[in-house]
Amino acid sequence: MAAVDRVRARQRELGIAESLEWIAETTPGLRAPVEDSGLVVHEHPLMVLDPGAPVPAADAPSGGIRVRTMGPDDPALASALAVPHLAFAEPGTDLGSAGVPELAEAVRARAGDGSVERVVTRIDAGLTSVAAAVEGSTALCAGQHQPVGSVSEIVGVGTLPTARRRGLAAAVTAALVADARSRGAETVFLSAGDDDVARLYARLGFRRVATALIAEPAA
């Protein structure tokens, strides 16, 4: 536990979030000392789309919704970066309460905090790619992938709670995989929020290979 405490102390010194991530199957002895340090451990299915597996096929969204990868000057980028936060505040796959008005307020609240500018810098550097399902100028679902060499991780795919159950997350995930492959990624992986979400990714061709553990301070 002493080593865990040192890591947490260093994170506080650096002003970054206290968080630890590891694979349960490769480091089974880490969970106990992490929990003893006071952190809460969350389990997430770790899934991979194998090299050579086809890009997932997903139905095109209906109506005026279009799925696209986003450049740094995309007018819907701010909403694409805000929508996952509303999605994760109401976890699961059922319809929720947060909708377009709440998303607009979240975009206004984040304006000027530097979050969009940081992602723009990463997009320009080829370190992050953002894809979204956009209606008008508003992203109803969005996510990112972060390539490193021949591997890329899909992160933060979230759908506005009032827009769930329309296939938007599947379409965005497929777009992210296609973009990752176009950039040379052979292996694409992700951590699903829970088993229900993992089943959605399994229908796109991802298979579960392990359990990702994320430890954070209690809320």
Side-chain angles (χ1 to χ4, degrees):
M1 191 173 75
V4 174
D5 289 339
R6 288 195 297 271
V7 171
R8 294 183 64 187
R10 182 56 176 161
Q11 288 175 326
R12 290 192 294 271
E13 289 175 6
L14 296 173
I16 60 178
E18 292 183 58
S19 178
L20 299 173
E21 299 185 20
W22 72 100
I23 306 302
E25 290 79 2
T26 60
T27 318
L30 184 56
R31 181 165 189 160
V34 167
E35 290 180 329
D36 288 344
S37 78
L39 295 177
V40 177
V41 177
H42 305 279
E43 298 185 3
H44 300 277
L46 183 64
M47 309 185 75
V48 67
L49 189 67
D50 290 315
V55 172
D59 294 334
S62 59
I65 299 174
R66 299 291 182 266
V67 177
R68 64 175 184 257
T69 55
M70 297 187 147
D73 57 351
D74 194 300
L77 181 59
S79 62
L81 300 180
V83 70
H85 294 277
L86 296 179
F88 300 146
E90 296 184 48
T93 59
D94 292 333
L95 289 172
S97 60
V100 172
E102 289 78 12
L103 177 57
E105 177 56 34
V107 170
R108 286 192 293 270
R110 292 162 57 90
D113 69 358
S115 58
V116 174
E117 291 76 13
R118 286 191 291 273
V119 174
V120 165
T121 298
R122 291 183 60 84
I123 292 174
D124 286 335
L127 300 174
T128 292
S129 180
V130 180
V134 180
E135 185 174 48
S137 59
T138 300
L140 301 181
C141 176
Q144 305 175 24
H145 78 86
Q146 300 177 351
V148 179
S150 63
V151 178
S152 192
E153 180 181 11
I154 291 178
V155 298
V157 177
T159 303
L160 193 66
T162 58
R164 287 173 176 158
R165 297 189 173 275
R166 296 164 65 179
L168 303 184
V172 167
T173 301
L176 290 168
V177 172
D179 186 74
R181 289 282 174 78
S182 75
R183 296 168 182 261
E186 298 176 0
T187 300
V188 181
F189 74 99
L190 55 84
S191 297
D194 54 32
D195 288 336
D196 288 338
V197 176
R199 282 190 281 272
L200 298 178
Y201 287 120
R203 292 202 287 268
L204 294 175
F206 286 83
R207 64 181 179 90
R208 182 168 182 167
V209 293
T211 302
L213 299 182
I214 301 176
E216 299 170 321

